[in-house]
Amino acid sequence: MSNNKGSLPPRSNGQPRTNRQQPRTAAATQAARPKAKSNKKKPKKRGPFARMMRLLLILLLVAVIAALGYAGYLYWKFDQGGFGVDQPVQAGQAASEKPLTMLLLGTDNRPKHPSNLTDVIMVAALNPKTKSATVVSLPRDTYVELSGYKKTKINAFYSRFKGKEKTSGILAEDEMKTMMGKYLGIEVNYATVLDFQGFRDIVDEFGGVDVNISQNMCYTDSVDGTNINLKQGPAQLDGDKALDYVRYRKSNCSPQTKPSDDFDRNKRQSEVLNSLISQMQSLGGVLKIGRVLDAVDDNLESDIENAQIKSMIATYWDISKADVEFVPVGGTWRSPYVYINDKELEAAKKSLQDRIAGVSASEASAASDSP
């Protein structure tokens, strides 16, 4: 007997066979549907200009943060003392609030040639409201005839006052402020004395100065190590060469170069100072101020309060060169003195008084040019 139950095929896994289509799953249904077009727009790629602007904004932000941090660093350095006088500034006397005047003296003091004779004599007046300044320079051999003082060269006074400090009880810097104030008809608030090495260090820390040398200059002195050898034309000078440039007076070389008088020296001093202003106002210069202060610490004397120095930097660091008037006073050389031209001296006094009174350098220049 056969065990087969008819001719039907066997059931599969015991499930009933059916011809009905099985329902699709949600995933299968979704996959089977035609894809709808998306309405979302693809993000546009930034163009090169947009990317550049974004980069510039980031760099600007970093620069601002760095500048603020550096300003804080400078303030900390001043608070540690060593650059000025560790005393408070009297109320209403800050550089940001009132005009200030300052005597700037450059001595020829060197390790091999100690001296307190002043090769550089300048008086500056600064006004915070007009953001302008005047710098008057006087020849080192200026003959001074002033009531209460010995008739002598102007560059000898500081050395004489230094020699009398112990007996007089008065600092030489204070005596110089009084004397120069009387000579120029103004009150001098502060005095700063810088020696040759300090000058070299400042120029070197700022990366040199750009000048236009008007003539060949050659002079040697084996006693103090002087070796001046400068060629006419545009040049960038380091500290040593810049000092040679402002000091040069005569030649002992073969062939000799043209001599230079005090008036030429004053013009070159103003040229170097002008170049240093440009260096200080650059971003690199601003970031070097701390190193400059460290470099000149042992070669600079000043009676400016630390807080006042901070106020001066904040007030005048961006002063325009067009608003800094350099006034070298001329005269007549009759050995061993320079006899100052009275009209030029009066013009210098007026320029200082104008800055103190709030007349800007550009306004004064426009007034003098008008008919």
Side-chain angles (χ1 to χ4, degrees), residues 88-100 128-129 189-190 305 308 311:
V89 179
Q90 296 181 3
Q93 302 299 305
S96 59
E97 300 174 277
K98 64 163 288 185
L100 294 178
K129 291 183 179 179
N189 304 124
Y190 295 107
E305 303 92 347
Q308 189 71 287
S311 181

Side-chain angles (χ1 to χ4, degrees), residues 70 73 197-209 236-240 242 276 279-280 282-297 299:
Y70 189 73
Y73 163 71
Q197 187 56 49
F199 176 84
R200 291 189 187 100
D201 291 341
I202 289 175
V203 173
D204 284 337
E205 287 298 338
F206 278 120
V209 291
Q236 185 179 66
L237 307 179
D238 63 12
D240 283 328
L276 281 174
Q279 293 285 66
M280 286 186 283
S282 67
L283 177 61
V286 171
L287 297 178
K288 292 174 182 175
I289 291 177
R291 294 209 309 266
V292 171
L293 294 173
D294 287 336
V296 302
D297 190 20
N299 303 293

